[in-house]
Each structure stands twice: as structure tokens, then as C-alpha cells.
Amino acid sequence: MRVELLCTGDELVTGLITDTNSTYLEARLFDLGVKVERVTVVGDVRPDITGALLEASARADVIIVSGGLGPTTDDFTLECAAAAAGVPLEEDARVMGWIEERYAARGMAINPGALRMARIPAGAEPVRNPQGSAPLVIQKLGRAHLFFLPGVPREYRALVDGEVLPRVRGWLASEAHRTFRAFRLLRTVRLPESVLNQQVMPLVSRHPRVVFGFRTHAPENHLKLMAEAPTQAEADAALSAAEAACRVVLGTHVYGADANEYAPVLLGLLARAGHTLAVAESCTGGLIAQDLTAVPGASQVFVGGAVVYSEKMKSAWVGVPPEVLARHGAVSRQTALAMAEGVRTACGATFGLSVTGYAGPGGGTPEDPVGTVYCALAGPDFEPRCERVSLAGDRDRVRLFAASHVLEMLRLHLLAAPVSP
């Protein structure tokens, strides 16, 4: 099954907003074993949208179109769909009823512009939007099935999950598509994309039924594996063999698979061992605590943290001795070690983590230029340890990778620690 995406809107081609809809749908389709063949972005130009629809329909089995279904004069994607199919736009009584219900439920008079959303290409099928007014519209153009979705991410995702993907799943299971697929997404940290590629490429020839792909999702890099075979059992077996080989090569760089995300994985390791954690953050400004507390149930493991941005608060809140700050400075190995041990003691936690550094764009010294970060880990039965890292990029990137680095120090320690009898 060949699937293409078409995204419309001047806001996309001018950089005013970022297209998050396509990445969401690509990941969800990959879960079904479908790789998107092409993503096309066009501005609000009628001939360009019409032409893109005709070109895509000549190549693809399924085309998912986003944007241009709203109530304003620059929302004319369905006009272009009608032109591509050579049919008129017609007011649909079902869509009109849905719009009237939505406005009545809010005690609002219908805006005349909203009536535009009830006009769809003749012969097309409307599907009610559970999150908004503009419906999903399904149209056949040649051999291609076209899905027209509103561009608002909340509405787009609801319709993708509730309407588009179930139809695609059904087609994949039909007699027309005999290839069976199995997939796995291996998530890695502290492994540049080029190195990840270099390490797994020798495996490609040994697993001819598996497609290897890569995705960067900073600070992580992901390896995508998709197996294809005449039967599901063969696809599953091919995937299992390739995954096992990749895990051997990549080792502890792989922290999880598929929907496993980093913070829940780390918190799970701590919880299973009966450990707790506290953090002291300077340059990351609470980013670590934010990532951890976004996970439901984090309070079972995460005791608390302190954003100790100034030297005064490094001493007052996590007990860094003033003489350490005076002698070595706020960005130093000694201060990072004192922060980690200090927050661990103050919170009564099993482990303490700390980060201090120069995120930029200002600051830094000849010895420790911008991008230098000290990450420290303190815990029971070992001497506190500190790692100095040099990170490239802007302020946000330095902070992001600093948070990732110190959390990975803890994960690797937990993996190496002996298991209690």
C-alpha cells in the first residue's frame, strides 16, 4: 500500500508553524507496518493544491490531506478536491446538521463563514469531527482513496485515530494486500545517528526481509525495523532475529522499544529496586524535574528537586560549602559533586543528581567555554562521581543534552549495580 501525505497552508511554507501532524501520522502508520512514501507541502494556491492532488492520486493508494477545511476565505482545499475530480461542491445536509448542533450546544449563532464547511465535493463521504466543526471528507480519485482532515492538531489526531487508521488497517487485512509486516522501534541514547548507522549496517545483508531506518528525536536516535514476509509468523520471526542482532551490537545504548519513553523507563528501574531520587539543577533550570514529574506515579520514586541557579542558593538549599564555590566556582567538578551529595542528603533520597554548566550564549571561561557542563551522581556505597561534557548547539540544545546525560549516568549505574538477593 502506497501512502502519501499532502499538507496545505501558507503558514507551513512560510515557517509560521511547524508541521507536527505529519510526524504523528507517520509514526502511527509505521505501527501498522506502513511507511509513508512522500510528504508534500503546498501553500494556499488553488492550482498548486489541485495539481498536487492529481499528481498524488496517480501514484498512491491512500492520500491523507490536512488543512484548508475551515470557515475562512483561504480555506479552499475542498474546492480544489472538487476541481481535481471534475465535480461540483454541494451543501451536505448531514454536515449542516452537525454544525448547527455544535453552535446550539454553545449557545452561539452560526457564523455565516461556518456554512462553508458544509460544502463538500459531490459523491464524497463526510464523517463527523468529534473535536471541531470541519468534518473529515473521504473522496475517491482514480484508484486513490483521499482523506481530507482539518489541520488543527487536536482535531487531526482524533480523526486519524478514530477514522483513518481503522480503515487503513482493514484494507491491509484484505485479500488485496498479501504482504505481512512486523515492526520494532529501538530507542537509543548517547549514540550519534551516524554511529548508529555504522554499527547496524553490517547486519542489513544478514536480514534481507527487514528494512532498516533511522530517526533523530533529540537527544535520542531511533532505529526502525520493519519485516515483510508472506505470512505473519515469518514476518515476526524475521523481525525477532534482526532485533536480537541489533541489541547485541548496540548494548546498553538501547533503553527501550516502541512506545517506551526514557523517563518512565528510568523511573521503572528505580521503583523496581526500591530506590528514590532527588535532583539539583543549575543550567537546566528544572528541565529534569519537569521530565520526571510528567510521568504518572513519579512521586513513588522522585522525592523532589531544587533549581539552584545562584551561588547563594547552591549553598542555602543543597549545602554546597561557600569555600568550594569561592575556590572552584559555580561551574566546576567540585561544585557539581557537592550539589549531588547535598540534594541527596537534604531530600533523604537514595540517589542525588546534579547539573551545572554554561548553556550560553554568554558566559564560559577559557578552561570551560560555553557548552561545558558538569554532571554528577551521588548514592550509597560508592564515591560520588562527576562527568564533564562539552555540548554543541544553542542554549536549548545544551540544556536538553545536559539533562539527558545526567539521567543516563543514573540509568547505566542501575543497570550495572548488582541485583539484591
Side-chain angles (χ1 to χ4, degrees):
M1 176 180 291
R2 183 181 176 94
V3 178
E4 295 193 17
L5 311 184
L6 174 60
C7 311
T8 71
D10 283 345
E11 65 275 13
L12 296 174
V13 296
T14 56
L16 291 177
I17 67 170
T18 301
D19 173 27
T20 58
N21 288 337
S22 294
T23 53
Y24 177 80
L25 180 54
E26 287 163 354
R28 301 289 282 131
L29 286 169
F30 189 74
D31 289 348
L32 299 180
V34 176
K35 181 181 178 182
V36 171
E37 300 292 338
R38 182 179 299 199
V39 179
T40 304
V41 182
V42 295
D44 292 322
V45 181
R46 283 181 171 84
D48 291 351
I49 296 175
T50 303
L53 290 172
L54 290 169
E55 291 171 12
S57 65
R59 294 185 299 258
D61 301 297
V62 175
I63 305 163
I64 300 163
V65 186
S66 64
L69 306 188
T72 60
T73 54
D74 61 350
D75 290 317
F76 43 70
T77 297
L78 291 181
E79 294 179 28
C80 299
V87 298
L89 282 177
E90 296 179 346
E91 186 174 285
D92 188 281
R94 292 165 294 179
V95 180
M96 181 63 72
W98 298 336
I99 294 173
E100 291 173 347
E101 288 178 22
R102 185 172 178 82
Y103 274 78
R106 287 160 175 74
M108 300 169 58
I110 296 181
N111 186 310
L115 302 180
R116 292 170 53 88
M117 295 183 286
R119 293 173 58 78
I120 67 173
E125 174 193 355
V127 178
R128 189 166 191 168
N129 181 348
Q131 298 288 340
S133 298
L136 162 68
V137 175
I138 305 173
Q139 181 186 30
K140 196 82 177 342
L141 189 57
R143 66 184 179 89
H145 294 270
L146 284 74
F147 295 87
F148 294 89
L149 291 88
V152 179
R154 181 186 73 257
E155 301 177 31
Y156 181 91
R157 295 184 180 194
L159 289 165
V160 161
D161 293 339
E163 301 292 342
V164 177
L165 293 176
R167 286 172 168 81
V168 172
R169 189 180 295 112
W171 291 331
L172 288 171
S174 71
E175 289 297 318
H177 299 280
R178 301 295 295 179
T179 300
F180 291 84
R181 297 176 175 85
F183 71 94
R184 181 72 71 242
L185 182 72
L186 296 181
R187 297 169 176 256
T188 74
V189 285
R190 288 204 195 175
L191 198 62
E193 187 178 31
S194 59
V195 178
L196 174 61
N197 177 80
Q198 183 181 22
Q199 291 190 359
V200 302
M201 276 301 99
L203 303 176
V204 172
S205 60
R206 303 176 207 169
H207 301 275
R209 285 183 167 173
V210 178
V211 177
F212 288 67
F214 304 89
R215 180 178 74 179
T216 294
H217 184 66
E220 305 172 10
N221 282 298
H222 300 163
L223 172 63
K224 300 179 292 184
L225 303 173
M226 184 168 68
E228 295 184 335
T231 69
Q232 191 61 56
E234 290 175 280
D236 291 342
L239 177 67
S240 180
E243 179 185 357
C246 290
R247 285 184 178 273
V248 169
V249 169
L250 300 175
T252 57
H253 288 293
V254 178
Y255 78 81
D258 298 336
N260 299 141
E261 295 185 344
Y262 191 92
V265 168
L266 177 60
L267 291 171
L269 287 173
L270 288 164
R272 286 190 291 274
H275 296 319
T276 55
L277 172 65
V279 300
E281 303 183 61
S282 185
C283 63
T284 49
L287 184 59
I288 298 170
Q290 176 181 316
D291 287 347
L292 295 176
T293 57
V295 180
S299 59
Q300 297 178 18
V301 168
F302 183 60
V303 178
V307 178
V308 285
Y309 214 56
S310 68
E311 292 191 9
K312 175 182 176 182
M313 301 319 297
K314 286 179 174 66
S315 293
W317 283 358
V318 296
V320 178
E323 58 269 23
V324 169
L325 292 164
R327 176 174 296 183
H328 301 287
V331 179
S332 65
R333 183 178 306 274
Q334 294 80 2
T335 295
L337 290 167
M339 287 169 60
E341 189 59 62
V343 77
R344 173 178 178 256
T345 301
C347 294
T350 313
F351 296 103
L353 293 175
S354 72
V355 181
T356 182
Y358 297 113
T365 67
E367 297 79 17
D368 289 326
V370 169
T372 300
V373 179
Y374 290 90
C375 302
L377 166 65
D381 306 322
F382 66 89
E383 287 294 318
R385 61 184 69 122
C386 180
E387 295 181 4
R388 178 185 183 274
V389 292
S390 297
L391 302 171
D394 60 16
R395 183 178 182 85
D396 288 343
R397 189 177 188 277
V398 169
R399 284 158 43 90
L400 178 65
F401 277 81
S404 174
H405 189 94
V406 75
L407 289 171
E408 184 64 357
M409 288 178 64
L410 176 57
R411 187 182 75 92
L412 293 177
H413 173 81
L414 293 170
L415 293 178
V419 178
S420 301

